[in-house]
Amino acid sequence: MRFLIVRTDIRAVVDTDITAAWAGGHRLRDETTRPEPRRQVVHAEDRDAALHLARAIATVGAVRSGKQRVKVLPLDDPGHRRARPGPPDT
């Protein structure tokens, strides 16, 4: 399985946004509707390589200081769905 390693900026929020999200029961950050700005994108062919690259990218000063984050995302084939585990055999 292939993986995508992404380094993004962390979007700053103010206390009023946190309070509104808490009161309204919605998410403060929703990556599907408003993704964080990307700084770097790298592909890896397997999980071990992806984690190795993510650890290397995490040594960047902005990541270490909390201004950016590193995400490792699995990329599945569009036609491939993961099988759900069924009931145990009796």
Side-chain angles (χ1 to χ4, degrees):
M1 178 187 307
R2 293 182 27 196
F3 289 85
L4 186 68
I5 302 93
V6 182
R7 182 170 55 105
T8 64
D9 289 329
I10 296 177
R11 214 178 6 256
V13 294
V14 293
D15 291 340
T16 55
D17 291 342
I18 296 170
T19 305
W22 183 269
H26 58 82
R27 294 180 180 183
L28 183 61
R29 292 184 174 106
D30 188 357
E31 290 290 313
T32 59
T33 59
R34 192 170 161 224
E36 294 174 333
R38 293 180 177 181
R39 289 293 184 149
Q40 183 177 16
V41 178
V42 181
H43 295 270
E45 294 298 321
D46 60 35
R47 185 174 184 268
D48 290 335
L51 294 177
H52 184 76
L53 286 167
R55 281 191 295 271
I57 293 171
T59 62
V60 172
V63 176
R64 292 176 45 210
S65 69
K67 295 176 183 171
Q68 296 177 350
R69 74 176 94 218
V70 178
K71 302 171 187 177
V72 178
L73 308 167
L75 298 176
D76 280 339
D77 294 332
H80 177 71
R81 294 184 60 109
R82 293 184 199 183
R84 288 187 166 177
D89 293 335
T90 57

